[in-house]
């Protein structure tokens, strides 16, 4: 494929950008009272307002042409039909089959994968019910009160984020904990909260070879045996989620206590698979199925909605517009919902691991910016930290605000006192980022407060805001399992669409594999008694200094 930069649509977008790049959103809103009406999508109780982006009536249609030039529809069909679009790992990316609640056949290498998926959901359901009901007993006959998921990256971030987000749906009888870091502090501090007789460890690793996870898993096993004084206890306190049966058995976990998934499930897309076991145990299998159902709805929406009404497509195109035409290379995720406080880290992996790449599908260097540097924090906390830069920094950061209309908690005046304050803060932020405040407005405001002229002269420029900073707002009724499933799937497909436009394989992760590979080179040098000379002088000295002082 020739670079998308040479396409007619791209060239038209370059011209369009020239003509509107200085336009002020405050003027665009003043000139067009239908701006919100024309630039939002409603899907059930989900409202996506993208009117506060630097777009005009022409922008989205031109971007849609770009997606046609990138053959988006063809690639979308390939994704859903199980074609091996992750060519560098010779795999399909069939996470959508995991949540295919309509159960229509999905083929991978000519075989319908739905029966195996349904079987795996049933196994998760049976097991999670037995743990929740107390039928599953620990080695000394006590019921399970704590589950500890040991995994990292895709085998940690999704379940941890979802368990936090759906805490109101979680059982009060079981505490879900997550250990990911090989830093012993993570496991040690977690174990301090655990009673060995009532703790179930879930070892989650697609490969079952990841250094961090296996180190934590072995230490957890040692801890359990040392406390319960019998290695037979493993069978009641350890289960595994993996694609690697042999390694699981070698670890000492019986086949029955293993939940499998398949190599066509990418790590960062795996929470829908048995990697979601901690979720199912915590919120129950029916709620887990609702999570799947929400994502499945978005899969259907993505497949069938016209591009201008297609949420993932429009979000992706706006992202392309901001990144490639305005050169805004970072993107902030700002959920005004404490339950979603892990969403920025979750999406950081999903987006940056998928599209943080400079080589296209044909092996050529991409001469465009690709995946943005993604970051964020829940509101209102972020407002008291980095929002200063969002309002007045030199860098312009496009933002996604996420806001539930209803809180899960009744607290404050009339039961929604806190929540109304939260909502007003979110709305105030999107409004101010767009509108800004001119120096004259800042002066008038201070005059109105009776501030002396000399102080006004000193402060006016400092209290002015350029505004014109793009944001997208995503509103929904309440953060329930189905809504969360929808939100995650929207972002998955958004990232997929962008990958298609940049001609990237969004489903491999050689940067992650590289990290795994180099870690194994340094450790032997660190363990050796002698001084190392194996690497460059900085690396050698870091190793030798550490060894000397260890
Ligand atoms: C995700 C990545 C990566 C992976 C972890 C854990 O897409 O591949 O984050 O999930 O490295 O790998 P294992 O599940 O194999 O331990």
């Amino acid at each position: 494929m020739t670079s998308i930069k040479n396409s007619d649509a791209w060239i038209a977008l370059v011209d369009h950008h020239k003509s509107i790049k200085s336009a002020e959103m405050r003027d665009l809103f003043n000139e067009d009272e239908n701006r919100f009406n024309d630039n939002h999508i409603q899907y059930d109780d989900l409202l996506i307002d993208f009117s506060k982006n630097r777009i005009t009536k022409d922008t989205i249609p031109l971007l849609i042409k770009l997606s046609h030039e990138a053959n988006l529809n063809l690639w979308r069909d390939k994704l859903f039909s199980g074609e091996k679009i992750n060519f560098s790992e010779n795999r399909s990316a069939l996470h959508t089959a995991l949540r295919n609640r309509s159960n229509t056949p999905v083929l991978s290498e000519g075989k319908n994968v739905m029966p195996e998926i349904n079987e795996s959901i049933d196994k998760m359901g049976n097991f999670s019910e037995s743990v929740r009901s107390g039928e599953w007993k620990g080695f000394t006959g006590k019921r399970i009160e704590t589950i500890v998921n040991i995994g990292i990256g895709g085998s940690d971030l999704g379940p941890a984020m979802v368990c936090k987000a759906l805490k109101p749906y979680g059982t009060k009888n079981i505490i879900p904990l997550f250990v990911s870091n090989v830093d012993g502090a993570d496991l040690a501090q977690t174990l301090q909260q655990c009673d060995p007789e009532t703790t179930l460890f879930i070892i989650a690793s697609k490969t079952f070879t990841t250094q961090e996870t296996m180190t934590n898993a072995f230490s957890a096993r040692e801890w359990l045996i040392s406390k319960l004084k019998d290695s037979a206890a493993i069978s009641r306190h350890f289960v595994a989620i993996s694609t690697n049966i042999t390694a699981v058995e070698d670890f000492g976990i019986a086949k029955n206590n293993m939940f499998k998934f398949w190599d066509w499930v990418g790590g960062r897309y795996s929470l829908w698979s048995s990697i979601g076991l901690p979720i199912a145990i915590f919120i129950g299998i029916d709620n887990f199925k609702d999570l799947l159902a929400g994502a499945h709805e978005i899969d259907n929406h993505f497949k069938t909605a016209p591009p201008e009404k297609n949420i993932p497509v429009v979000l992706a195109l706006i992202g392309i517009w901001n990144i490639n035409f305005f050169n805004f290379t970072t993107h902030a995720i700002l959920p005004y919902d404490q339950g979603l406080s892990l969403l920025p880290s979750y999406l950081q992996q999903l987006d940056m691991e998928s599209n943080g790449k400079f080589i296209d599908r044909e092996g050529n260097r991409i001469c465009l910016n690709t995946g943005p540097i993604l970051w964020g924090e829940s509101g209102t906390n972020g407002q008291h930290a980095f929002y200063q830069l969002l309002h007045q920094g030199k860098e312009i950061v496009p933002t996604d605000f996420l806001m539930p209309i209803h809180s899960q908690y009744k607290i404050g005046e009339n039961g929604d006192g806190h929540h109304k304050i939260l909502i007003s803060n979110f709305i105030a932020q999107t409004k101010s980022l767009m509108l800004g405040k001119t120096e004259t407005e800042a002066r008038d405001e201070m005059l109105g407060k009776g501030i002396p002229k000399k102080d006004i002269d000193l402060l006016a420029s400092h209290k002015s805001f350029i505004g014109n900073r793009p944001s997208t707002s995503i509103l929904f009724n309440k953060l329930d399992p189905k809504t969360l499933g929808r939100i995650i799937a929207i972002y998955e497909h958004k990232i997929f669409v962008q990958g298609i436009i940049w001609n990237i394989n969004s489903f491999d992760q050689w940067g992650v594999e590289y990290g795994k590979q180099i870690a194994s080179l340094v450790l032997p040098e660190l363990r050796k008694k002698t001084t190392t000379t194996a690497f460059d002088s900085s690396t050698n000295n870091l190793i030798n200094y550490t060894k000397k002082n260890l």
Side-chain angles (χ1 to χ4, degrees), residues 129-144:
E129 269 322 295
S130 73
V131 174
R132 285 164 68 84
S133 68
E135 187 193 328
W136 177 278
K137 301 267 189 293
F139 189 59
T140 58
K142 293 190 180 169
R143 62 184 292 158
I144 297 300

Side-chain angles (χ1 to χ4, degrees), residues 444-493:
D444 290 349
E445 199 179 280
M446 286 189 278
L447 262 178
K449 288 183 182 157
I451 294 174
K453 176 157 182 326
K454 69 168 186 10
D455 291 345
I456 295 180
D457 288 344
L458 179 78
L459 292 174
S461 58
H462 296 278
K463 290 194 162 205
S464 69
F465 299 84
I466 295 169
N468 216 18
R469 298 185 175 221
S471 72
T472 300
S473 297
I474 301 176
L475 277 73
F476 43 93
N477 187 41
K478 178 167 91 169
L479 189 61
D480 56 23
K482 195 178 216 185
T483 303
L484 184 61
R486 287 173 174 174
I487 292 172
I488 302 169
I490 285 172
Y491 278 105
E492 282 181 353
H493 293 316

Side-chain angles (χ1 to χ4, degrees), residues 83-154:
E83 210 171 290
K84 291 191 173 178
I85 57 176
N86 179 1
F87 70 93
S88 62
E89 293 183 313
N90 194 30
R91 288 173 192 161
S92 41
L94 261 183
H95 44 284
T96 52
L98 299 165
R99 59 217 191 193
N100 172 21
R101 302 306 293 154
S102 44
N103 204 22
T104 45
V106 178
L107 302 184
S108 170
E109 300 188 341
K111 184 178 155 214
N112 181 12
V113 293
M114 290 316 299
E116 271 197 82
I117 290 174
N118 294 332
E119 206 180 293
S120 144
I121 295 175
D122 287 347
K123 184 168 175 182
M124 283 169 78
N126 292 337
F127 183 73
S128 55
E129 269 322 295
S130 73
V131 174
R132 285 164 68 84
S133 68
E135 187 193 328
W136 177 278
K137 301 267 189 293
F139 189 59
T140 58
K142 293 190 180 169
R143 62 184 292 158
I144 297 300
E145 290 170 359
T146 307
I147 52 174
V148 180
N149 189 79
I150 297 184
I152 196 164

Side-chain angles (χ1 to χ4, degrees), residues 488-534:
I488 302 169
I490 285 172
Y491 278 105
E492 282 181 353
H493 293 316
K494 170 198 164 177
I495 292 162
F496 170 74
V497 172
Q498 294 186 330
I500 294 306
I501 291 176
W502 290 318
N503 194 24
I504 280 175
N505 175 7
S506 300
F507 298 105
D508 62 10
Q509 56 285 312
W510 296 109
V512 179
E513 308 306 332
Y514 183 52
K516 292 183 181 184
Q517 182 198 338
I518 50 181
S520 65
L521 297 179
V522 172
L523 190 58
E525 295 299 322
L526 204 59
R527 282 181 175 149
K528 264 193 215 157
K529 291 236 164 1
T530 52
T531 304
T532 186
T533 53

Side-chain angles (χ1 to χ4, degrees), residues 137-196:
K137 301 267 189 293
F139 189 59
T140 58
K142 293 190 180 169
R143 62 184 292 158
I144 297 300
E145 290 170 359
T146 307
I147 52 174
V148 180
N149 189 79
I150 297 184
I152 196 164
S155 301
D156 164 70
L157 288 162
M161 183 274 285
V162 173
C163 284
K164 171 126 209 231
L166 298 180
K167 193 164 182 203
Y169 297 83
T171 169
K172 306 275 173 292
N173 301 327
I174 294 172
I175 300 171
L177 300 174
F178 292 84
V179 172
S180 53
N181 202 332
V182 74
D183 179 345
D186 200 2
L187 181 66
Q189 288 174 9
T190 304
L191 293 179
Q192 280 166 12
Q193 302 171 60
C194 297
D195 172 351

Side-chain angles (χ1 to χ4, degrees), residues 152-155 205-207 210 213 267-268 349 353 509 512 516:
I152 196 164
S155 301
S205 174
K206 182 173 172 180
T207 53
T210 305
T213 300
R268 57 196 172 277
Q349 182 196 28
E353 210 169 280
Q509 56 285 312
V512 179
K516 292 183 181 184

